[in-house]
C-alpha cells in the first residue's frame, strides 16, 4: 500500500534505466523526445519519459567521434587563421594606405601653400601689370597727342617753309631787281 501511495503521491512513472551494462549510458534528452511518446502528466504536472534511450559507450565510436570533432575543429581553426591572416594583411594594407594617404595629404597641403603663394604672386604681378598698362596707356595717349601736335606743327612748318620759300623767291626777285636797278643807274 505504501508503495502504491508513493507512486501516486509523486505522480511519476518509474524510469527504466536500461539493462545496467557497463557500456550503456542513459541519454535523457533523446528519451524525452523519443517518437511516439505520449507523456502522462501527474497531479504535479511533471511528465517523466517512459523509457530513456541508451547509448553504447563504445571506444571506437568515441574515437571516431573525437576524430571527427578534431577534424572539424582543425577546419574551424584553419578558417579562423585564414580570416586572421586576411585581417592582418588588411591591417598592413590599411596601414600602408594610411601612410600613403598621410603623405598625399601632406603633399596636397604643400601644393595648397604653393598655390596660395602663386595666387599672391599673380595678384602682385596683376597689380604691377595694371600699373604698367596704365603707364603704357598714358604714354600712348601722350604719343597720340604729340602725333596730333606734330601733325599740326608739320602743317605749320610746311606752310612756314612755303612762306619762307616764297619770301626767298621774293627776296631773290627783289635782289635781281635791285641789281638791275643798280646796273641801269650806272
Amino acid at each position: 500500500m505504501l508503495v502504491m501511495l508513493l507512486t501516486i503521491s509523486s505522480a511519476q512513472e518509474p524510469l527504466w534505466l536500461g539493462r545496467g551494462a557497463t557500456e550503456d549510458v542513459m541519454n535523457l534528452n533523446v528519451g524525452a523526445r523519443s517518437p511516439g511518446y505520449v507523456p502522462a502528466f501527474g497531479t504535479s504536472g511533471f511528465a517523466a519519459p517512459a523509457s530513456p534511450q541508451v547509448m553504447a559507450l563504445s571506444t571506437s565510436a568515441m574515437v571516431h567521434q573525437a576524430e571527427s570533432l578534431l577534424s572539424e575543429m582543425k577546419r574551424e581553426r584553419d578558417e579562423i587563421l585564414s580570416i586572421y591572416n586576411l585581417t592582418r594583411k588588411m591591417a598592413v594594407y590599411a596601414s600602408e594606405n594610411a601612410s600613403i594617404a598621410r603623405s598625399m595629404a601632406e603633399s596636397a597641403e604643400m601644393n595648397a601653400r604653393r598655390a596660395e603663394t602663386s595666387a599672391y604672386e599673380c595678384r602682385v604681378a596683376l597689380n604691377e601689370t595694371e600699373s604698367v598698362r596704365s603707364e603704357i596707356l598714358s604714354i600712348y595717349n601722350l604719343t597720340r597727342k604729340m602725333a596730333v601736335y606734330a601733325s599740326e606743327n608739320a602743317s605749320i612748318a610746311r606752310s612756314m617753309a612755303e612762306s619762307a620759300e616764297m619770301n626767298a623767291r621774293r627776296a631773290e626777285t627783289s635782289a635781281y631787281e635791285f641789281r638791275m636797278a643798280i646796273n641801269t643807274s650806272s
Side-chain angles (χ1 to χ4, degrees), residues 10 19 37 58 66 70 98 105 110 115 143 155 158 160:
S10 66
R19 293 184 300 274
Y37 169 68
S58 163
L70 183 62
M110 191 176 355
T143 305
S155 64
R158 196 175 310 115
M160 285 176 71

Side-chain angles (χ1 to χ4, degrees), residues 104-147:
M104 288 176 72
E106 290 171 357
S107 176
E109 186 177 343
M110 191 176 355
N111 287 339
R113 282 192 212 125
R114 287 181 184 158
E116 187 177 341
T117 304
S118 294
Y120 175 75
E121 290 172 356
C122 284
R123 279 193 299 271
V124 169
L126 181 64
N127 289 341
E128 289 176 0
T129 304
E130 183 63 28
S131 172
V132 169
R133 187 187 73 81
S134 298
E135 289 177 14
I136 290 173
L137 189 60
S138 66
I139 290 172
Y140 171 73
N141 290 334
L142 184 61
T143 305
R144 280 186 57 202
K145 287 178 184 175
M146 288 175 68

Side-chain angles (χ1 to χ4, degrees), residues 95-111:
S95 174
E96 290 173 355
N97 283 345
S99 65
I100 290 170
R102 194 176 309 112
S103 68
M104 288 176 72
E106 290 171 357
S107 176
E109 186 177 343
M110 191 176 355
N111 287 339

Side-chain angles (χ1 to χ4, degrees), residues 148-166:
V148 169
Y149 182 71
S151 174
E152 291 172 356
N153 285 342
S155 64
I156 293 172
R158 196 175 310 115
S159 67
M160 285 176 71
E162 290 172 357
S163 175
E165 188 177 336
M166 204 171 6

Side-chain angles (χ1 to χ4, degrees), residues 12-108:
Q12 292 182 354
E13 297 179 14
L15 294 177
W16 179 70
L17 298 177
R19 293 184 300 274
T22 57
E23 293 184 350
D24 291 344
V25 70
M26 183 172 53
N27 187 351
L28 293 175
N29 287 333
V30 174
R33 295 182 183 95
S34 62
Y37 169 68
V38 179
F41 290 100
T43 56
S44 66
F46 177 75
S51 61
Q53 300 289 319
V54 292
M55 179 175 70
L57 292 178
S58 163
T59 54
S60 66
M62 289 181 1
V63 166
H64 176 69
Q65 188 177 11
E67 286 176 351
S68 68
L69 287 173
L70 183 62
S71 66
E72 186 178 340
M73 285 175 37
K74 284 182 181 177
R75 262 194 325 271
E76 294 289 328
R77 184 200 64 192
D78 291 343
E79 185 178 328
I80 289 171
L81 281 177
S82 70
I83 291 170
Y84 171 73
N85 289 335
L86 180 62
T87 305
R88 282 184 61 203
K89 287 178 184 175
M90 288 175 69
V92 168
Y93 183 70
S95 174
E96 290 173 355
N97 283 345
S99 65
I100 290 170
R102 194 176 309 112
S103 68
M104 288 176 72
E106 290 171 357
S107 176

